[in-house]
Amino acid sequence: MSDISFVRTEMLPEKEPPASTVGFIGWAKANLFSSVLNSVLTILSIVLVLFVLSGVLPWAFQSVWNASSLTECREILKATYGEHHEGACWAVINDRWVQLVFGFYPPYPIDPTMYLGNPPEGAWPAYFRPIATFVLILAAVAPVLFDKLPRKMLIITAIFPFAMPWLMWGGTVWFPVAAALGFAIGYFAFKYLADIVGELAGLIIAVVLPVIWWLFLMGPFADLMQSIIALDIPVVESRKFGGFTVSIFIGVVAIVGSLPIGIVLALGRQSDLLIVKALCVGFIEFIRGVPLITLLFVASTLLNIFLPPGTEFDIILRVLIMVTLFASAYMAEVIRGGLAALPRGQYEGADSLGLNYWQAQRLIIMPQALKISIPGIVSNFIGIFKDTTLVSIIAILDPLGLTNGIRADAAWNGIYWELFAFIAIVFFVFCFSMSRYSMYLERKLKTSH
Amino acid sequence: MTVMTDPPKESFRLSMLIYDTRYRAITIQVVALLGFAAFFGWLIWNTSNNLAALGKEPSFRFLWEPAGYDINQRLLDYNSQSPHIRAAFIGVLNTLVIAVLGCITATVIGVLVGVLRLSKNWVVSRLMAVYVEMFRNVPVLLWIVLAMAIMIEIPPGPREFRGDNATASVSLFGTVAVTNRGIYVPDPKFDGGLGDLPVGASSTDAACAAYYDGSEGLVDINPACGTFQISLDFLAIVALLAGTLYISRRIKQRADDIQEKTGDRPTTWYIRLAVVVVPMVILLYLLGLYFTVPELKGFNFKDGLHLRNSLIALWLALSLYTAAFIAEIVRAGILAISKGQTEAASALGLSAGRTMSLVVLPQALRVIIPPLISNYLNLTKNSSLAIAVGYMDLTGTLMGVTLNQTGRELETVLLGMLIYLSISLTISMAMNWYNESIKLQER
């Protein structure tokens, strides 16, 4: 027997991995230059990106942050970067950011003639009230957004719809307290009367009593309490509202208000009751069929005509009403989509457990329907927040409306891009983080596999 | 023995309206209807009281009074002596112009971006993602105002085209002038045109005939006699186009039939193209088509078609903004088609292009169309932001200048809303009909 072995006895040296499939080059080859068309696209995009960056970056970064007028800005740019350099003049943001954020809201409402720098006697810190409003919004929204936070924070969320308008507009504290009392009246009326007169009658009473309270008794009550214990802060007229404060104010109110109204409208549209359904469909389709700007025209010119003679709503309040109605029609459609997407078995399962309509909605249908509609709801929120810029057309000084005012000042005449860039960046940050949050929430609530 | 008795006759009691589910629905509805009627009546009562206090009688008579203002972009005859209603109509046409232009460009850009965003090419897909996020997360009004500022600030003024050492020149072989007063493009004109077809006019009427001589538009309305005339050139082109498109369709049907019978599909695309293009070229040649090139005369360009800054800015901003949304819809639609469909198609031996056009796209369209409709509607409604850049659409005319001049806020705003509502409903009806026609045919 000869010793013929076909089995290799020594190990081959390890080969280098082929350079073309790993590392950056391999990746680039597979993804960027896999075909002729792909290579052309890649090169075109890179050229485009470089072209845009080469224009924008020097403009944005070789810029001036400290100057008192556009002419001064241009002189500094000339002196620093040479004759032909086109640089941004961020000095306008530096100079006017307070106005862009707060509008003409008085820094010290206790004495509106005073400006920044010389606080009057006994005044709160400058812009205390709008800043407190922002903090309140964050504190109220946080426990809703992140369920790891202590549940006690939800108390702030409950207080917030009453406290926010009071902080912004001012006046007696008894007014928001009285408004909140209306809900308490409704709650207790239902709780104690339902056993005595029956559930349905209790419900009707629980709705009627607060409405009577709000319409006729709330004002005198607030006045009476104010005359007994005076607790008030100076009133700020709403024509002083402006800047991002007014955008956020309108946006938050419309978002908070549109969700419950939207749910009611969606349920109405899905209901078997023919007339209720027709009313809801008519409202939703009408609002969705007209542009928001026409509704804002209604707010600015017509709403006072529709109300009893002598009623004077101020313009911000009128806009709030119309924007909320507008938003709720869209919200209703999103939620209806969620309701329609629920399998029929969920409704039947709820029925078979013997739950009545409202119990089924509250315990079975709504939690699931709302979860399905989260992406739509959040993109609605983003849309509403962006649409608040439209109020500049009816002469409310939101950031976009303020840019015209800033340009009207001789010092900043002819400045465009810096202001637009600043406003765009702020809106982008808000809207982009909202959309990212909705993605996070979708992942978190996903119960399927 | 028990005695069978009739079940007790159920007598109707008032409390059954609330406690009996058979009647409760009716009660609730009646209450809702009464509440609604009361609310509406309350509004109307308030309105009439308020208007009486202001001394205004609601009436639409003002619509037939002379408007007294000019509209710079008009598709039909209009001058400041025309009535308000005509101004509003010109405004509606301008709204429709921007809506149609915007929808077309937004769809083209949106589909392109949506497909590119799914590309495996990292640079391209990232770039498209940046575009989409940038446009979706910034208000459309800001984009419109920004586009307007760009149109006014960046291009050179007409003055800079003048002289031997002009700093600006007319681009695209001297045919398109981009100035800060708008863009001037070549204007198509007909040399040996067929003339106009008067509708409803007696040719003996001297006033009418005199008016006809000077008019050039596609459709001219003669305010003197309330008649109108249609350009015969325009009619001829439309008729020819309709005819050739029909023939092209028949050729396709024939190809389909042959494919059904034999399995081989004859190549027809060049025949179909020729059937449409060749007669059109001949007709245009016979009509004597020529283009007037924009030329600098005096302080401004003349002889070209003037696309105003407001139109361009609105068009650009609306289409780019809506395209970002459409891109996301297209992407979602394509992703919704399961991979098995593509694999099955390639197992059948279809090429990548035919897989896309015969298998993926027809299915993706079903997912894409409904949200696409609502985006078209959004674009149409957003076109009302024209008022921010001074484009005279319905909002600018009826709810803008007319409102301010006549002080008739109730009538103008309600009429404007009604018109927008009918435009929206028409679009959604048409698109829903289309959606029905491509829907999955189930048993």
Side-chain angles (χ1 to χ4, degrees):
Chain A
M1 283 272 283
S2 55
D3 185 30
I4 302 167
S5 164
F6 292 100
V7 180
R8 195 189 285 278
T9 48
E10 76 282 13
M11 291 288 279
L12 275 179
E14 271 183 31
K15 271 189 185 166
E16 283 289 306
S20 56
T21 57
V22 295
F24 176 74
I25 296 174
W27 175 83
K29 213 170 165 184
N31 286 310
L32 305 184
F33 302 100
S34 56
S35 67
V36 180
L37 180 71
N38 232 342
S39 313
V40 172
L41 277 177
T42 307
I43 292 167
L44 276 182
S45 337
I46 292 177
V47 168
L48 179 73
V49 169
L50 289 181
F51 175 75
V52 170
L53 287 186
S54 71
V56 168
L57 287 184
W59 176 81
F61 289 102
Q62 299 188 328
S63 53
V64 178
W65 277 94
N66 287 306
S68 57
S69 72
L70 190 59
T71 2
E72 196 190 331
C73 236
R74 291 196 173 134
E75 278 162 16
I76 299 175
L77 278 174
K78 246 180 217 170
T80 331
Y81 302 109
E83 194 68 31
H84 297 293
H85 179 73
E86 294 267 343
C89 180
W90 298 116
V92 66
I93 308 297
N94 201 1
D95 190 39
R96 295 298 182 96
W97 71 269
V98 172
Q99 200 182 39
L100 280 171
V101 173
F102 298 112
F104 293 100
Y105 202 92
Y108 308 107
I110 197 167
D111 184 0
T113 55
M114 292 290 192
Y115 286 104
L116 282 173
N118 42 349
E121 199 66 29
W124 289 346
Y127 293 116
F128 178 82
R129 278 161 52 179
I131 293 172
T133 309
F134 293 146
V135 173
L136 188 68
I137 291 173
L138 290 181
V141 164
V144 180
L145 295 190
F146 304 102
D147 56 3
K148 295 221 174 60
L149 289 168
R151 294 290 88 189
K152 286 228 171 93
M153 278 182 80
L154 282 172
I155 297 172
I156 304 179
T157 315
I159 295 174
F160 149 83
F162 307 100
M164 185 176 78
W166 175 67
L167 270 175
M168 289 296 290
W169 271 303
T172 167
V173 73
W174 295 109
F175 206 73
V177 168
L181 220 53
F183 285 99
I185 290 174
Y187 173 75
F188 285 111
F190 183 71
K191 192 171 175 191
Y192 293 113
L193 290 180
D195 296 339
I196 304 168
V197 294
E199 192 168 330
L200 194 75
L203 192 69
I204 293 171
I205 293 172
V207 172
V208 171
L209 273 188
V211 170
I212 293 173
W213 167 261
W214 284 321
L215 286 182
F216 303 109
L217 301 173
M218 184 172 83
F221 170 79
D223 290 340
L224 180 73
M225 291 306 288
Q226 172 67 15
S227 61
I228 299 171
I229 312 165
L231 275 178
D232 63 333
I233 53 176
V235 174
V236 175
E237 293 169 45
S238 43
R239 65 186 162 84
K240 305 251 176 180
F241 287 19
F244 283 110
T245 313
V246 86
S247 301
I248 294 173
F249 186 55
I250 296 175
V252 166
V253 170
I255 286 170
V256 170
S258 68
L259 200 54
I261 304 179
I263 291 175
V264 170
L265 284 173
L267 289 179
R269 195 172 182 166
Q270 292 286 81
S271 121
D272 299 330
L273 310 174
L274 200 65
I275 294 174
V276 173
K277 184 174 173 175
L279 290 178
C280 290
V281 171
F283 177 82
I284 293 172
E285 292 304 326
F286 173 72
I287 297 273
R288 274 162 37 95
V290 298
L292 175 57
I293 187 73
T294 58
L295 293 175
L296 291 179
F297 280 144
V298 170
S300 73
T301 60
L302 291 187
L303 212 53
N304 272 348
I305 293 184
F306 289 153
L307 293 174
T311 325
E312 270 302 317
F313 272 9
D314 71 53
I315 180 71
I316 297 274
L317 193 57
R318 282 180 274 158
V319 166
L320 284 178
I321 293 172
M322 293 318 282
V323 175
T324 309
L325 289 182
F326 177 79
S328 27
Y330 283 81
M331 200 62 78
E333 282 301 276
V334 171
I335 293 168
R336 183 174 73 110
L339 287 174
L342 265 197
R344 189 90 212 119
Q346 296 292 329
Y347 292 87
E348 289 161 356
D351 283 347
S352 71
L353 285 177
L355 300 179
N356 69 26
Y357 179 77
W358 291 108
Q359 283 169 332
Q361 291 298 338
R362 190 162 56 86
L363 299 170
I364 312 269
I365 309 297
M366 269 302 149
Q368 297 185 74
L370 289 180
K371 193 171 87 183
I372 299 174
S373 18
I374 283 175
I377 291 176
V378 175
S379 71
N380 245 345
F381 286 172
I382 296 176
I384 297 166
F385 186 55
K386 285 189 296 180
D387 281 343
T388 57
T389 48
L390 263 64
V391 298
S392 64
I393 291 176
I394 53 165
I396 291 177
L397 293 174
D398 84 318
L400 219 49
L402 280 171
T403 57
N404 291 326
I406 293 173
R407 253 196 309 274
D409 183 349
W412 299 113
N413 197 351
I415 198 151
Y416 287 96
W417 321 118
E418 292 83 354
L419 291 171
F420 289 151
F422 176 70
I423 297 168
I425 289 169
V426 174
F427 270 104
F428 183 86
V429 168
F430 277 112
C431 299
F432 191 69
S433 36
M434 273 199 258
S435 73
R436 290 291 122 160
Y437 174 77
S438 109
M439 288 182 183
Y440 153 81
L441 199 60
E442 254 178 276
R443 272 199 308 277
K444 202 183 75 173
L445 292 180
K446 203 166 160 188
T447 45
S448 61
H449 298 290
Chain B
M1 238 181 86
T2 52
V3 181
M4 291 285 285
T5 53
D6 285 340
K9 239 332 200 277
E10 207 173 337
S11 63
F12 181 79
R13 296 183 309 279
L14 215 55
S15 62
M16 276 164 69
L17 281 178
I18 293 178
Y19 294 110
D20 192 325
T21 42
R22 282 173 300 177
Y23 301 111
R24 187 193 275 177
I26 300 172
T27 319
I28 293 176
Q29 300 203 59
V30 168
V31 168
L33 190 65
L34 286 180
F36 175 74
F39 179 72
F40 217 72
W42 182 70
L43 284 187
I44 291 175
W45 193 68
N46 283 336
T47 309
S48 62
N49 272 1
N50 280 319
L51 287 181
L54 291 170
K56 286 185 195 170
E57 279 287 313
S59 127
F60 283 96
R61 221 166 295 139
F62 70 94
L63 284 174
W64 280 269
E65 289 163 12
Y69 61 94
D70 229 342
I71 299 176
N72 53 21
Q73 177 189 310
R74 45 186 183 259
L75 295 185
L76 298 182
D77 281 338
Y78 173 85
N79 58 42
S80 57
Q81 289 311 304
S82 308
H84 282 294
I85 188 154
R86 191 162 174 77
F89 186 62
I90 303 278
V92 172
L93 286 183
N94 283 347
T95 296
L96 292 180
V97 165
I98 202 74
V100 170
L101 287 178
C103 286
I104 294 171
T105 33
T107 312
V108 172
I109 302 172
V111 171
L112 207 65
V113 172
V115 171
L116 283 182
R117 222 192 142 177
L118 284 175
S119 153
K120 277 187 200 138
N121 189 324
W122 187 83
V123 177
V124 172
S125 67
R126 284 291 98 179
L127 196 64
M128 293 304 139
V130 168
Y131 161 79
V132 167
E133 293 299 344
M134 193 170 88
F135 273 88
R136 280 201 319 167
N137 287 316
V138 172
V140 61
L141 186 58
L142 187 62
W143 286 120
I144 293 174
V145 179
L146 182 69
M148 189 64 179
I150 290 174
M151 291 303 298
I152 292 174
E153 294 289 313
I154 305 282
R159 215 163 11 127
E160 292 170 49
F161 289 83
R162 183 187 305 285
D164 296 327
N165 51 355
T167 49
S169 63
V170 184
S171 44
L172 279 182
F173 311 108
T175 54
V176 177
V178 181
T179 75
N180 62 4
R181 293 188 192 174
I183 296 178
Y184 295 82
V185 295
D187 192 9
K189 292 255 159 67
F190 294 108
D191 207 0
L194 297 172
D196 293 321
L197 175 72
V199 179
S202 57
S203 52
T204 50
D205 193 329
C208 299
Y211 182 81
Y212 281 144
D213 291 339
S215 54
E216 285 191 329
L218 298 181
V219 181
D220 293 306
I221 299 188
N222 188 340
C225 11
T227 59
F228 61 95
Q229 56 182 346
I230 302 169
S231 160
L232 277 178
D233 303 335
F234 175 62
L235 281 187
I237 291 172
V238 169
L240 186 71
L241 199 65
T244 50
L245 282 178
Y246 176 71
I247 296 172
S248 153
R249 223 180 129 85
R250 290 305 299 269
I251 294 175
K252 178 178 178 279
Q253 276 171 4
R254 195 172 151 267
D256 287 345
D257 289 346
I258 293 176
Q259 189 181 18
E260 285 285 310
K261 277 186 201 127
T262 64
D264 285 328
R265 190 182 179 83
T267 316
T268 54
W269 65 267
Y270 53 88
I271 307 175
R272 293 179 62 195
L273 196 68
V275 161
V276 177
V277 172
V278 173
M280 185 55 72
V281 170
I282 295 173
L283 176 71
L284 291 178
Y285 177 75
L286 287 178
L287 289 176
L289 176 77
Y290 69 101
F291 288 92
T292 52
V293 175
E295 264 178 83
L296 193 58
K297 283 178 187 165
F299 291 107
N300 229 330
F301 278 93
K302 293 271 160 61
D303 283 349
L305 196 62
H306 183 190
L307 304 177
R308 274 161 219 283
N309 277 339
S310 49
L311 173 74
I312 305 265
L314 198 62
W315 180 14
L316 206 67
L318 283 179
S319 7
L320 287 176
Y321 180 79
T322 313
F325 289 86
I326 293 180
E328 284 297 274
I329 292 167
V330 170
R331 188 175 76 112
I334 294 177
L335 283 179
I337 305 307
S338 74
K339 210 165 155 49
Q341 297 286 329
T342 324
E343 289 166 353
S346 61
L348 287 176
L350 293 183
S351 69
R354 291 189 82 76
T355 305
M356 200 52 161
S357 66
L358 294 175
V359 177
V360 177
L361 230 44
Q363 298 184 66
L365 264 186
R366 293 195 190 112
V367 186
I368 292 172
I369 293 289
L372 195 65
I373 300 172
S374 76
N375 267 294
Y376 286 164
L377 287 174
N378 280 346
L379 191 146
T380 310
K381 283 181 283 170
N382 280 339
S383 73
S384 59
L385 298 179
I387 198 168
V389 288
Y391 177 80
M392 295 298 265
D393 72 334
L394 179 62
T395 321
T397 53
L398 182 68
M399 285 187 273
V401 190
T402 296
L403 190 156
N404 286 333
Q405 281 190 358
T406 58
R408 298 259 170 201
E409 57 279 272
L410 183 72
E411 294 90 335
T412 51
V413 171
L414 287 188
L415 187 62
M417 287 173 104
L418 206 65
I419 294 173
Y420 271 115
L421 193 62
S422 34
I423 295 176
S424 300
L425 290 181
T426 314
I427 294 177
S428 69
M429 251 160 58
M431 294 299 287
N432 280 332
W433 171 78
Y434 176 65
N435 190 28
E436 282 296 314
S437 72
I438 62 159
K439 219 168 79 176
L440 192 62
Q441 302 294 329
E442 282 172 329
R443 273 166 291 133

